[in-house]
Amino acid sequence: MGCSRMPAGTVHVIGAGLAGLSAAVRLTEAGRKVVVHELARFAGGRCRSFHEPALGIAIDNGNHLVLSGNHAALAHLDIVGARHMLVGPPHCEFPFADLAAGTCWALRPNDSALPWWIFSRSRRVPGTGVAEHLALAKLLSAKPHQTIGEVIRCSGPLYDKLLRPVLLSALNFDPPEASAVLAGQIVRETLAKGGLATRPLIAAEGLGPVFIDSSLAWLARHGTEVRFDRPLRQLELADDRAGALVFADDRVALGPEDAVVLAVPAWVARSLLPAISTPARFTAILNAHFAVPPPPGQPRILGVVKATTEWLFSFHNRLSVTVSGADRFNEAEREPLARSIWAEVAALTGLDAAKIPPWVLVKERRATFAATPEENARRPGPATRWRNVTLAGDWTATGLPSTIEGSIRSGVSAAREVARMPAPR
């Protein structure tokens, strides 16, 4: 990581979510002594898996998709030896269903970056033309203050059947008011690179085993300790550095070569470092899990338009639905909402709508920062004015919205920032 002499101090990573684990893995790999401190009694944050008693099976806290072009996520899995646990098709294909119209289709970009697929009616969105697809290039030159609605047309078949569901799930915010720069980066790293960078990869056995358990096991093999049930109450700050970590039950003084990676939610970081800028507005995600095996031939992932259901994930023992930008459901009654979603799932799968299987709803009220131009501008980089403290988290300035890829990139950036920290005076 560019150091001529490996510092003898300890790097304290605060938070064992994906960003913190990413930083810990990279720092450990570079030869640093690392200790991870986690508030909860488990790791993973929003990317964890857990046993749900109401269903009698393990589920993910939320449904997340990795794309084959997510280089940081795949590099992390290569390090911890878990890349083989992601499954997906050999070529890019996204099936979609329109519940209102009763129609189905599949988006099938060709492998190369030269987008000849938009000239094929069988590969592009039904009812759309070549010019509509080419208009997406406008997002690549968007300005930081612009919304998507100011850059491209947010209506018509292409928007309704592809752009809205894809951008809503990626940004977790209503696309017309969301950041065009963030949308442009999504296009730049996926469709603009061709189908080989856009293949959907799913953690068939759960996000926890793939990303979290494998990371914890790798850290344990390399001697990095992860301490759970460690709520950080205060960072003692003096002049240009942090002098101590104050936990609920002890105080850890920081030596001249020690460093801190603060990989906590934005609102926690702001309470510990009041001077930093962070996003202040957040949006919800709703996931519905139904303990029923999918019928034969059901796609692993199905995009849905004109329905509450936006993405339907199929696992061997359950069907799971994701609803992004879900603030409107924060106060909704759980059972009527679950039955309404199940009616859609039944229509999509051919299962009996009258026989709802065991279900659970998982609502994450502050799942992601609101991906507006204003909130995106509030995201800080990894460096802080305290020379031994750096930041990680999908809410930092990763260039991406709040995603698995963004979380892991933030951890990598934090690790690099630690390597660049000046020698003690």
Side-chain angles (χ1 to χ4, degrees), residues 185-271:
Q185 191 61 22
I186 295 167
V187 173
R188 183 177 290 108
E189 296 194 13
T190 56
L191 281 176
K193 289 188 175 181
L196 284 183
T198 319
R199 290 187 302 113
L201 303 174
I202 296 175
E205 300 304 318
L207 292 169
V210 176
F211 284 98
I212 308 306
D213 297 350
S214 60
S215 299
L216 293 174
W218 187 93
L219 290 170
R221 290 196 302 271
H222 290 79
T224 291
E225 182 182 2
V226 180
R227 301 174 182 175
F228 295 103
D229 202 13
R230 294 275 289 172
L232 180 65
R233 302 300 191 202
Q234 181 185 355
L235 268 173
E236 290 185 3
L237 304 170
D239 299 324
D240 64 346
R241 68 186 306 275
L245 302 169
V246 180
F247 294 96
D249 54 3
D250 72 334
R251 176 181 180 276
V252 178
L254 298 175
E257 293 193 324
D258 292 345
V260 178
V261 175
L262 204 57
V264 296
W267 53 91
V268 177
R270 190 167 59 246
S271 70

Side-chain angles (χ1 to χ4, degrees), residues 111-397:
D111 289 348
S112 69
L114 184 64
W116 60 259
W117 64 275
I118 65 175
F119 297 94
S120 171
R121 291 185 179 181
S122 66
R123 287 178 173 265
R124 66 179 187 242
V125 177
T128 64
V130 173
E132 295 169 83
H133 290 78
L134 292 175
L136 291 179
K138 295 178 182 178
L139 291 170
L140 302 180
S141 57
K143 301 298 188 292
H145 66 276
Q146 289 182 303
T147 64
I148 295 172
E150 292 172 334
V151 176
I152 64 171
R153 180 186 174 196
C154 290
S155 61
L158 182 64
Y159 178 78
D160 294 339
K161 296 181 179 181
L162 177 64
L163 295 184
R164 185 183 186 279
V166 168
L167 292 176
L168 178 60
S169 65
L171 298 165
N172 196 35
F173 201 81
D174 193 29
E177 303 302 319
S179 166
V181 166
L182 291 176
Q185 191 61 22
I186 295 167
V187 173
R188 183 177 290 108
E189 296 194 13
T190 56
L191 281 176
K193 289 188 175 181
L196 284 183
T198 319
R199 290 187 302 113
L201 303 174
I202 296 175
E205 300 304 318
L207 292 169
V210 176
F211 284 98
I212 308 306
D213 297 350
S214 60
S215 299
L216 293 174
W218 187 93
L219 290 170
R221 290 196 302 271
H222 290 79
T224 291
E225 182 182 2
V226 180
R227 301 174 182 175
F228 295 103
D229 202 13
R230 294 275 289 172
L232 180 65
R233 302 300 191 202
Q234 181 185 355
L235 268 173
E236 290 185 3
L237 304 170
D239 299 324
D240 64 346
R241 68 186 306 275
L245 302 169
V246 180
F247 294 96
D249 54 3
D250 72 334
R251 176 181 180 276
V252 178
L254 298 175
E257 293 193 324
D258 292 345
V260 178
V261 175
L262 204 57
V264 296
W267 53 91
V268 177
R270 190 167 59 246
S271 70
L272 295 169
L273 299 174
I276 66 170
S277 171
T278 69
R281 184 181 174 192
F282 301 87
T283 51
I285 291 178
L286 169 69
N287 290 278
H289 304 275
F290 300 95
V292 58
Q298 182 68 26
R300 289 186 182 274
I301 179 171
L302 176 66
V304 186
V305 300
K306 299 179 182 177
T308 298
T309 300
E310 292 165 3
W311 296 93
L312 175 60
F313 291 80
S314 298
F315 301 92
H316 73 277
N317 58 357
R318 72 185 190 277
L319 291 165
S320 296
V321 166
T322 294
V323 182
S324 301
D327 289 355
R328 65 194 185 279
F329 295 118
N330 282 345
E331 308 305 324
E333 293 186 31
R334 301 178 73 84
E335 184 166 347
L337 180 56
R339 290 188 177 279
S340 174
I341 294 174
W342 172 250
E344 294 179 347
V345 172
L348 293 164
T349 59
L351 296 174
D352 189 345
K355 295 181 179 179
I356 184 170
W359 57 269
V360 65
L361 299 182
V362 180
K363 299 178 183 179
E364 191 80 40
R365 289 176 180 258
R366 294 192 287 186
T368 70
F369 74 93
T372 65
E374 296 77 17
E375 293 301 304
N376 191 42
R378 295 171 61 93
R379 300 168 75 185
T384 72
R385 73 178 184 86
W386 297 276
R387 58 190 177 89
N388 62 341
V389 179
T390 187
L391 302 173
D394 62 9
W395 54 272
T396 61

